[in-house]
Amino acid sequence: MDHKMIAKQFLITGIIMAVIAMILSILFRIQLAYPDKAFPFLETILGRFAPGGRLDANFYLSLVTIHGTIMVFFVLTAGLSGTFSNLLIPFQLGARDMASPFMNMLSYWMFFTASVIMLASFFVQKGPAGGGWTIYPPLSALPKAMPGSAEGMTLWLISMVLFVASQLMGGINYVSTVLNMRTKGMDLWKMPLTIWAFFLTAILGILAFPVLVAGVVLLVFDRSFGTSFYLSEIVVQGQVMNYEGGSPILFQHLFWFLGHPEVYIVIMPAMGIASEVMSVNSRKPIFGYHAMVYSLIGITVLSFIVWGHHMFVTGMNPFLGGVFMITTLIIAVPSAVKTFNWLATLWRGNIRFTPGMLFAIGLVSFFISGGITGIFLGNAALDINLHDTYFVVAHFHLVMGSAAIFGMLAGVYHWFPKMFGRMMDEKLGYLHFWLTFIGAYLVFFPMHFMGLDGVPRRYYAFTEIESLKQWLSVNTFITWAAIMSALAQVAFLFNFFYSIFFGKKATQNPWNSTTLEWTTPVERIHGNWPGEIPTVYRWPYDYSKPGAEEDFIPQTTPYSQTMTSNLPHDFEDNPTGLTQYNEWLKTQKVQEEVK
């Protein structure tokens, strides 16, 4: 039930799920690069799903579906939030543990069960779910529609309900811990940006995930009990089915009402981690702390009123499309504020390029290059051409996929000493960063041009259509870039698991950081601090303060001990401190006059 152990469980389960999802993506990339070639090893691994060494077309859709589901939910939601919210909320707020350690443990085991059920769907007769990770009806609502609509889809739905239960238990815990369990002196404006990000992410999850469960329950009714929430006038193999009055568009509304907050549930913790890592390694205060917090709050609020931009081509009223377009373009504003502030934090900083810092800067790069294409897709008129093409795949794999993965990796490299008491190897970290960074751009950048030419996503082979054949060589290039990126992860996996046992022993505060987690002993103990919990006196970003003896002042250092570096605005809520500071200034003046 210890929050540090639960964080490690989330992280290692997330890493295992990420490796599985990566292998799935390599399998379907091989199909896209060499659609007419047979690879006997595929039949050896996949059996009946790759007869004669060629991937079965239905199984291709299942691979795409499960790859997307695992990455979005099981790696970037649970792996990222589950790991770092659990690790850092008690540590950085000065709490002994979470508000409810038992519920925290239950949250992990629910997630673990959901993961097992999702993977178990590979072993049922007709294979796993195959309707795309968004599981739109009618493919998901009619068990007979295709092999991927049968038992595999049922297991997908059960797994996701358990997953949501896990996220809700985690989310309620995170929110109540942040609100109720801060140490003495830790008000909301003294919290690191990581905690703000986890706190607002948890609120998003609590409000958005139940809507997905509602949509899934109605889908189960349609599949198993003959209702017609999402089905109407369906003909299967020439036979008119007995469904009428439902609307598949209703499912899209319910799904994307979760689905769009979900992409911010994925990216916001990564943003918080990047802010913290960049400030520590620039040896500068984060630029615009209040603006950073308000932009996170802005994203949290706005993310609930933009879901319709996924549905511009569903025949929605153009006026409603216009409304969603405006809200979508407005949500770019807080994101731009964050980007500007990150660049300003780096500007003229005394930068230490640790592997964690490189991954945090990588996040900013992906966020800019992937975010710009979001402005194309957020425009209702342009989206008609771009919807369901590789342009969309390129956009969200950069801005959400790669950026959030890089935020997660920045966090792993940065807080590894806190989790395991040892350091990861820097040289392997650099190798991992450069191969992954270059590899990700080589994989996803060419997809923009495919999308602009109208190449549709989720197609099994492009050899069937004359106009798409010209992109075959690009697909081959992308596949080899993806294989290179996947091999780069071997460096990380070796580094991670080797360093847990044999890495260089860490000191208490290896990065010279100001936040509370580095005041705990290197040995991980229950309750985090052996004696009293320290009191907090200052904000978390006192780096390179003029007049200070060192280039960082921990949050636990009272202002009375740092008179030479204090500034008048340090005492905004502390009139007593301001009086003492003014008296100290007077005595200094008198001493100078005497001299």
Side-chain angles (χ1 to χ4, degrees):
M1 291 199 288
D2 191 290
H3 72 101
K4 300 179 285 298
M5 178 52 74
I6 293 169
K8 292 177 201 175
Q9 290 173 321
F10 268 110
L11 178 60
I12 290 172
T13 312
I15 287 174
I16 292 166
M17 292 299 275
V19 169
I20 292 168
M22 192 172 69
I23 292 167
L24 302 184
S25 69
I26 297 299
L27 290 174
F28 65 70
R29 281 293 347 158
I30 290 172
Q31 160 62 32
L32 289 171
Y34 303 106
D36 298 328
K37 256 196 185 153
F39 294 95
F41 80 91
L42 285 179
E43 190 168 18
T44 315
I45 306 169
L46 301 171
R48 67 176 189 280
F49 293 129
R54 282 195 67 195
L55 217 54
D56 173 65
N58 283 306
F59 189 65
Y60 169 84
L61 287 177
S62 294
L63 288 179
V64 174
T65 302
I66 303 296
H67 163 77
T69 307
I70 288 179
M71 289 307 291
V72 171
F73 294 110
F74 291 76
V75 179
L76 293 175
T77 303
L80 180 55
S81 280
T83 301
F84 293 104
S85 299
N86 274 313
L87 181 72
L88 296 176
I89 288 177
F91 265 152
Q92 293 192 332
L93 291 181
R96 296 280 181 207
D97 206 310
M98 282 288 179
S100 169
F102 177 75
M103 199 157 79
N104 212 17
M105 175 187 75
L106 215 53
S107 158
Y108 170 72
W109 287 111
M110 279 256 192
F111 163 60
F112 180 80
T113 312
S115 305
V116 171
I117 292 173
M118 187 61 73
L119 297 178
S121 66
F122 277 96
F123 303 98
V124 295
Q125 180 64 34
K126 292 184 176 175
W133 77 276
T134 54
I135 58 157
Y136 285 178
L139 282 183
S140 57
L142 292 168
K144 292 179 187 164
M146 63 185 219
S149 306
E151 300 92 351
M153 184 63 75
T154 306
L155 288 171
W156 191 100
L157 296 168
I158 294 167
S159 168
M160 284 312 298
V161 169
L162 286 172
F163 175 83
V164 170
S166 147
Q167 290 306 299
L168 290 177
M169 284 193 284
I172 290 165
N173 226 344
Y174 306 150
V175 170
S176 40
T177 308
V178 171
L179 292 179
N180 298 325
M181 299 187 67
R182 303 191 300 279
T183 186
K184 191 179 170 196
M186 174 69 80
D187 62 39
L188 293 177
W189 292 113
K190 291 197 182 85
M191 298 197 311
L193 289 170
T194 37
I195 304 297
W196 272 107
F198 302 145
F199 174 57
L200 293 164
T201 301
I203 292 172
L204 266 183
I206 292 168
L207 295 174
F209 272 120
V211 181
L212 177 68
V213 175
V216 163
V217 168
L218 300 185
L219 192 54
V220 171
F221 282 2
D222 274 14
R223 286 173 61 80
S224 308
F225 305 120
T227 55
S228 301
F229 289 107
Y230 307 131
L231 297 169
S232 186
E233 288 109 32
I234 295 274
V235 180
V236 179
Q237 292 163 347
Q239 182 188 352
V240 180
M241 305 297 282
N242 191 20
Y243 295 105
E244 54 185 270
S247 163
I249 306 294
L250 168 64
F251 178 84
Q252 292 194 27
H253 278 294
L254 292 174
F255 181 88
W256 288 115
F257 191 80
L258 155 86
H260 204 81
E262 165 64 19
V263 303
Y264 290 103
I265 289 170
V266 163
I267 197 69
M268 274 178 19
M271 289 171 158
I273 289 168
S275 303
E276 179 72 20
V277 171
M278 284 166 76
S279 180
V280 172
N281 289 303
S282 298
R283 312 311 293 159
K284 274 179 66 183
I286 191 81
F287 186 90
Y289 172 81
H290 285 79
M292 286 300 237
V293 173
Y294 288 128
S295 65
L296 281 171
I297 294 169
I299 287 172
T300 305
V301 173
L302 288 167
S303 70
F304 279 107
I305 51 171
V306 294
W307 81 91
H309 66 215
H310 297 269
M311 300 170 60
F312 285 145
V313 295
T314 55
M316 67 158 57
N317 184 323
F319 175 74
L320 187 59
V323 172
F324 278 122
M325 182 176 92
I326 290 163
T327 56
T328 301
L329 296 179
I330 290 171
I331 204 171
V333 175
S335 307
V337 168
K338 299 195 82 57
T339 306
F340 175 80
N341 286 4
W342 285 322
L343 296 176
T345 302
L346 292 172
W347 176 248
R348 302 188 70 180
N350 185 10
I351 299 176
R352 299 183 305 203
F353 289 106
T354 63
M357 181 62 160
L358 287 173
F359 277 102
I361 297 170
L363 174 142
V364 180
S365 168
F366 287 130
F367 195 67
I368 294 171
S369 54
I372 286 170
T373 56
I375 295 171
F376 290 58
L377 292 167
N379 186 310
L382 286 174
D383 187 63
I384 293 166
N385 274 356
L386 298 173
H387 188 82
D388 258 343
T389 66
Y390 267 81
F391 196 88
V392 178
V393 179
H395 160 68
F396 76 79
H397 276 85
L398 284 177
V399 79
M400 183 180 89
S402 303
I405 284 283
F406 270 53
M408 185 171 173
L409 289 168
V412 171
Y413 280 101
H414 190 75
W415 281 288
F416 189 88
K418 197 72 259 159
M419 280 192 267
F420 299 104
R422 292 178 183 272
M423 307 293 283
M424 286 178 81
D425 183 73
E426 276 209 337
K427 288 195 175 70
L428 277 174
Y430 294 139
L431 177 75
H432 176 217
F433 169 77
W434 285 111
L435 287 177
T436 310
F437 182 72
I438 294 165
Y441 268 124
L442 291 180
V443 170
F444 299 119
F445 213 77
M447 289 184 186
H448 293 100
F449 304 107
M450 293 170 70
L452 287 170
D453 194 42
V455 179
R457 56 196 281 210
R458 295 181 178 152
Y459 272 35
Y460 166 70
F462 293 116
T463 42
E464 312 288 316
I465 300 161
E466 202 55 44
S467 64
L468 302 183
K469 279 186 183 171
Q470 60 182 343
W471 291 102
L472 199 59
S473 55
V474 175
N475 260 322
T476 312
F477 172 80
I478 290 175
T479 295
W480 282 104
I483 290 168
M484 180 195 91
S485 307
L487 290 174
Q489 307 319 304
V490 174
F492 169 72
L493 292 169
F494 171 78
N495 194 357
F496 183 84
F497 289 107
Y498 180 85
S499 301
I500 289 175
F501 303 104
F502 306 110
K504 192 179 93 187
K505 286 222 161 119
T507 54
Q508 187 179 11
N509 188 357
W511 313 120
N512 287 347
S513 185
T514 59
T515 41
L516 283 182
E517 75 269 33
W518 305 106
T519 62
T520 60
V522 180
E523 303 75 37
R524 276 105 29 234
I525 55 169
H526 288 307
N528 298 339
W529 286 270
E532 273 186 42
I533 300 176
T535 304
V536 167
Y537 296 97
R538 57 181 70 233
W539 78 317
Y541 297 108
D542 264 342
Y543 292 104
S544 303
K545 210 171 175 187
E549 290 167 26
E550 287 183 307
D551 72 346
F552 72 106
I553 307 172
Q555 283 190 280
T556 51
T557 309
Y559 283 114
S560 57
Q561 293 177 19
T562 57
M563 284 301 190
T564 51
S565 65
N566 291 348
L567 298 164
H569 70 74
D570 289 334
F571 302 100
E572 275 171 3
D573 324 326
N574 181 0
T576 324
L578 186 58
T579 313
Q580 289 172 343
Y581 177 61
N582 287 333
E583 280 170 10
W584 179 82
L585 282 177
K586 277 179 199 162
T587 53
Q588 290 299 104
K589 208 172 179 185
V590 168
Q591 284 171 3
E592 276 170 25
E593 283 168 2
V594 167
K595 276 181 190 170

